[in-house]
Amino acid sequence: MDSRQAIPPLTAMRAFDAVARHGSVARACRDLNVTPAAVSHQIKALEDWLGVRLFARDRRQIRLTELGRLYYDRVRPCFEGFAAATEEVRRSQERRTLSVAAPSSLASKWLLPRLQAFRTLHPRIDIELTVAPCREPPPREADLHIRYGRRGAAPPPGRLTWPLLRVEVFPVCAPHMAADLGGSPEALLRVPLLHDEPLQLHDDVSWPSWFEAAGVRATEIRTAMRFNQSMLACEAAAAGHGVVLAKRPHVEMDLRSGRVVRPVPVSLRAPCHYFVEVEEHQSDNVQVAAFRTWLVEEAEAEQPGLEWINAPAPIASSGVPA
């Protein structure tokens, strides 16, 4: 039998549930906000549909028949399930705050410019953005974490990870400085070079390794300024203080606006990447899942064609694909 034909009319089922639950047509009427005639009509319609008597009636009361009691005992959990599911969906639509922790440079340069798009899609979810060190264990109080680490590393026990952004490293500088370099890697040896300490510490990428990849024999490399934060190093380059090796996610918006440019086309792929991490018990949370899905879609749009960005399932103990 078609499952749709096997289910009685829901209006009649609601009337049956109310009368059976209250043991009274009058109280069922108040519960359903309908007239006694309407309730009686629905009960009769259900009995006709089933072909059985569900209630025994006399002048003073109404009670379930033996078959009516059996039927009510079977269908009552279904109504309770409907009520629980409905309440869960309603709660999911209530305004709530989702706490997100992310490294400072990515939060300010990549995430913040995009957050309004998420707010437009999910106006009932408020975002609480916290800056967290990219390599240290994430704060437990955050619902979702964007972290930075080596590709292939397994997540901590009880946590799930999704790949987010690969990291490409290349020189950037102010437009007026690039105009004098002529696109030559060797020309960078003649201008002030800025040193991003976290880039060398976390990714083992520095000016010597970049010049080697560019095929330039550099016997002496001087850095004019040193910075312990990537965001400061990029700001110094945009201000015209020199050329810096920058990660694409940190300078993508500035490249698009023309605030900085790439003086030469040589780039390196960093051994680390950004990934989304959540506690396993949070993975099915409606708000967490919505934000995670949106993040991955944003990254995929920026970096099309990356197979590991399109992974349909989280990476568990096997680690993140290289």
mmCIF file of all heavy atoms in Angstrom, residues 72-82:
data_model
loop_
_atom_site.group_PDB
_atom_site.id
_atom_site.type_symbol
_atom_site.label_atom_id
_atom_site.label_comp_id
_atom_site.label_asym_id
_atom_site.label_seq_id
_atom_site.Cartn_x
_atom_site.Cartn_y
_atom_site.Cartn_z
ATOM 1 N N TYR A 72 -4.322 4.249 20.233
ATOM 2 C CA TYR A 72 -3.766 5.456 20.856
ATOM 3 C C TYR A 72 -2.369 5.197 21.412
ATOM 4 O O TYR A 72 -1.471 6.029 21.281
ATOM 5 C CB TYR A 72 -4.692 5.941 21.969
ATOM 6 C CG TYR A 72 -4.190 7.191 22.661
ATOM 7 C CD1 TYR A 72 -4.141 8.401 21.981
ATOM 8 C CD2 TYR A 72 -3.747 7.156 23.981
ATOM 9 C CE1 TYR A 72 -3.668 9.548 22.594
ATOM 10 C CE2 TYR A 72 -3.277 8.292 24.608
ATOM 11 C CZ TYR A 72 -3.233 9.483 23.906
ATOM 12 O OH TYR A 72 -2.760 10.626 24.512
ATOM 13 N N ASP A 73 -2.176 4.026 22.037
ATOM 14 C CA ASP A 73 -0.852 3.707 22.584
ATOM 15 C C ASP A 73 0.207 3.654 21.487
ATOM 16 O O ASP A 73 1.384 3.968 21.741
ATOM 17 C CB ASP A 73 -0.895 2.359 23.326
ATOM 18 C CG ASP A 73 -1.667 2.440 24.637
ATOM 19 O OD1 ASP A 73 -1.882 3.573 25.117
ATOM 20 O OD2 ASP A 73 -2.050 1.379 25.170
ATOM 21 N N ARG A 74 -0.202 3.268 20.273
ATOM 22 C CA ARG A 74 0.749 3.190 19.169
ATOM 23 C C ARG A 74 1.023 4.557 18.531
ATOM 24 O O ARG A 74 2.149 4.849 18.130
ATOM 25 C CB ARG A 74 0.218 2.223 18.095
ATOM 26 C CG ARG A 74 0.148 0.779 18.542
ATOM 27 C CD ARG A 74 1.537 0.183 18.760
ATOM 28 N NE ARG A 74 1.480 -1.234 19.102
ATOM 29 C CZ ARG A 74 1.475 -2.219 18.214
ATOM 30 N NH1 ARG A 74 1.493 -1.939 16.920
ATOM 31 N NH2 ARG A 74 1.448 -3.468 18.617
ATOM 32 N N VAL A 75 -0.020 5.390 18.409
ATOM 33 C CA VAL A 75 0.174 6.657 17.675
ATOM 34 C C VAL A 75 0.616 7.799 18.584
ATOM 35 O O VAL A 75 1.171 8.798 18.099
ATOM 36 C CB VAL A 75 -1.115 7.075 16.914
ATOM 37 C CG1 VAL A 75 -1.513 6.001 15.919
ATOM 38 C CG2 VAL A 75 -2.257 7.399 17.877
ATOM 39 N N ARG A 76 0.397 7.676 19.900
ATOM 40 C CA ARG A 76 0.770 8.775 20.796
ATOM 41 C C ARG A 76 2.263 9.115 20.708
ATOM 42 O O ARG A 76 2.621 10.306 20.646
ATOM 43 C CB ARG A 76 0.390 8.428 22.242
ATOM 44 C CG ARG A 76 0.732 9.511 23.256
ATOM 45 C CD ARG A 76 0.038 10.810 22.906
ATOM 46 N NE ARG A 76 0.558 11.937 23.660
ATOM 47 C CZ ARG A 76 0.455 13.193 23.281
ATOM 48 N NH1 ARG A 76 -0.156 13.511 22.155
ATOM 49 N NH2 ARG A 76 0.935 14.158 24.018
ATOM 50 N N PRO A 77 3.188 8.124 20.675
ATOM 51 C CA PRO A 77 4.609 8.496 20.521
ATOM 52 C C PRO A 77 4.891 9.271 19.240
ATOM 53 O O PRO A 77 5.813 10.091 19.202
ATOM 54 C CB PRO A 77 5.319 7.134 20.519
ATOM 55 C CG PRO A 77 4.414 6.223 21.281
ATOM 56 C CD PRO A 77 3.028 6.671 20.908
ATOM 57 N N CYS A 78 4.100 9.024 18.201
ATOM 58 C CA CYS A 78 4.294 9.777 16.949
ATOM 59 C C CYS A 78 3.980 11.254 17.157
ATOM 60 O O CYS A 78 4.714 12.132 16.676
ATOM 61 C CB CYS A 78 3.411 9.197 15.852
ATOM 62 S SG CYS A 78 3.778 7.479 15.436
ATOM 63 N N PHE A 79 2.898 11.537 17.874
ATOM 64 C CA PHE A 79 2.556 12.939 18.150
ATOM 65 C C PHE A 79 3.619 13.594 19.022
ATOM 66 O O PHE A 79 3.967 14.761 18.832
ATOM 67 C CB PHE A 79 1.182 13.031 18.822
ATOM 68 C CG PHE A 79 0.041 12.943 17.850
ATOM 69 C CD1 PHE A 79 -0.601 11.745 17.618
ATOM 70 C CD2 PHE A 79 -0.371 14.068 17.153
ATOM 71 C CE1 PHE A 79 -1.643 11.660 16.717
ATOM 72 C CE2 PHE A 79 -1.420 14.003 16.246
ATOM 73 C CZ PHE A 79 -2.054 12.783 16.018
ATOM 74 N N GLU A 80 4.137 12.842 19.991
ATOM 75 C CA GLU A 80 5.211 13.387 20.818
ATOM 76 C C GLU A 80 6.448 13.671 19.979
ATOM 77 O O GLU A 80 7.143 14.660 20.189
ATOM 78 C CB GLU A 80 5.530 12.405 21.948
ATOM 79 C CG GLU A 80 4.399 12.267 22.965
ATOM 80 C CD GLU A 80 4.667 11.167 23.976
ATOM 81 O OE1 GLU A 80 5.615 10.370 23.753
ATOM 82 O OE2 GLU A 80 3.927 11.095 24.980
ATOM 83 N N GLY A 81 6.726 12.784 19.003
ATOM 84 C CA GLY A 81 7.854 13.018 18.102
ATOM 85 C C GLY A 81 7.636 14.240 17.228
ATOM 86 O O GLY A 81 8.570 15.025 17.004
ATOM 87 N N PHE A 82 6.396 14.427 16.742
ATOM 88 C CA PHE A 82 6.087 15.631 15.962
ATOM 89 C C PHE A 82 6.350 16.890 16.782
ATOM 90 O O PHE A 82 6.954 17.859 16.308
ATOM 91 C CB PHE A 82 4.612 15.625 15.530
ATOM 92 C CG PHE A 82 4.260 14.575 14.522
ATOM 93 C CD1 PHE A 82 2.971 14.096 14.429
ATOM 94 C CD2 PHE A 82 5.223 14.056 13.673
ATOM 95 C CE1 PHE A 82 2.633 13.115 13.510
ATOM 96 C CE2 PHE A 82 4.901 13.078 12.741
ATOM 97 C CZ PHE A 82 3.606 12.608 12.659
#
